[in-house]
Structures are given as structure tokens and as C-alpha cells.
Amino acid sequence: MPYSAATGVLLSQYLVHRAAVSRARGGLFLSESRRNFAQPLSLWTWSKVVRRIAVEAGVERFSTHTTRHLCLTDLARMGWEVHAIATFAGHRHTDSTMRYIHLSGRDLAERFARGMEHIHAQRVALLNVGTEGTGEAR
């Protein structure tokens, strides 16, 4: 799983903390409650933790799955083809991938503008090839 340098720093710090809780192999995130101390967090518990943090931060619609949507949308914004994004995400079909990609009108307008700049430049180049040496446009 790819992650940023900043996330790497946070993960390294957490691993030091985790070692203080338990050195046992197993789940990455461990409970620090008295009831389940040093036991791996279940997916349900992890979701509840993320939900609580999101509510406290005022980001009501954030969930554990939000980062997956953001990652795949960012790949689309960078110009990755949908088939490459699907492969990266582990999807067998691109229709599954399309549910994760949320491009805004601004994203689409910028992509269109870049494409039109490229097309315009190609057309100008073609027109210039036909007029070289004549001093006039076709």
C-alpha cells in the first residue's frame, strides 16, 4: 500500500508506541482499553474509532472507506487510465472502479482545456507546415 512521506513519519512514530503496548506479532492497530488491552482492533472497532474522530473533527461524511475513494480519484486526476486504476484497486471490472472516482466539474473542465490546448497546438503546427516558405497561411 503506497503512502506519503508524512504518513511514513506518523507510522514510524506509531510503531514505536505499538511496541510499548505489545511486541507480539499480529494486527497493526492494538486496543489500549483495559478490557482488550494489546488485542488487535477488529474492523468494526477501527471503523468506530475513525467515525468518532471524524465527528469530533466536524467531517461527518468521512469513513474508513473515504481514503480509498480519495486515492482512486486522485489517480484519475493525475491522468491514470481507468484500467490501470482498476488494477491498482484490485477490481476485476472498471464499473466497480468508476463508483470510486469522483471528478468534479472543475476537474473535467481543466482536463478539457488541457486537451483543447494540445489539439489547438497540433492544428497550428499542421497549418504552419503547409505554409513554410510561402509566407502565407493555407
Side-chain angles (χ1 to χ4, degrees):
M1 169 179 280
Y3 53 86
S4 68
T7 301
V9 170
L10 293 171
L11 181 58
S12 293
Q13 291 170 353
Y14 172 73
L15 291 174
V16 169
H17 175 77
R18 185 197 183 282
V21 174
S22 173
R23 292 199 165 277
R25 290 180 170 269
L28 177 60
F29 297 107
L30 303 179
S31 173
E32 294 185 36
S33 73
R34 280 181 252 131
R35 187 177 47 164
N36 298 320
F37 189 77
Q39 296 300 308
L41 293 183
S42 68
L43 290 176
W44 173 249
T45 301
W46 177 245
S47 293
K48 284 177 26 182
V49 167
V50 170
R51 176 76 183 135
R52 182 178 45 85
I53 293 168
V55 169
E56 288 173 5
V59 188
E60 298 286 329
R61 295 179 57 195
F62 189 89
S63 73
T64 54
H65 219 59
T66 303
T67 54
R68 184 168 172 83
H69 285 261
L70 290 171
C71 178
L72 299 185
T73 298
D74 287 343
L75 294 176
R77 286 181 179 140
M78 288 188 290
W80 280 39
E81 295 295 328
V82 70
H83 294 289
I85 297 171
T87 300
F88 176 82
H91 296 155
R92 291 183 183 170
H93 305 287
T94 57
D95 57 330
S96 298
T97 306
M98 295 306 294
R99 289 188 208 116
Y100 285 85
I101 298 173
H102 308 286
L103 296 175
S104 68
R106 181 180 296 159
D107 292 325
L108 298 173
E110 288 172 2
R111 185 170 286 185
F112 178 77
R114 282 193 309 270
M116 289 308 295
E117 287 173 13
H118 179 71
I119 289 169
H120 179 72
Q122 283 182 324
R123 288 180 179 159
V124 167
L126 286 172
L127 289 172
N128 286 335
V129 167
T131 62
E132 288 177 5
T134 66
E136 59 184 67
R138 276 191 180 191

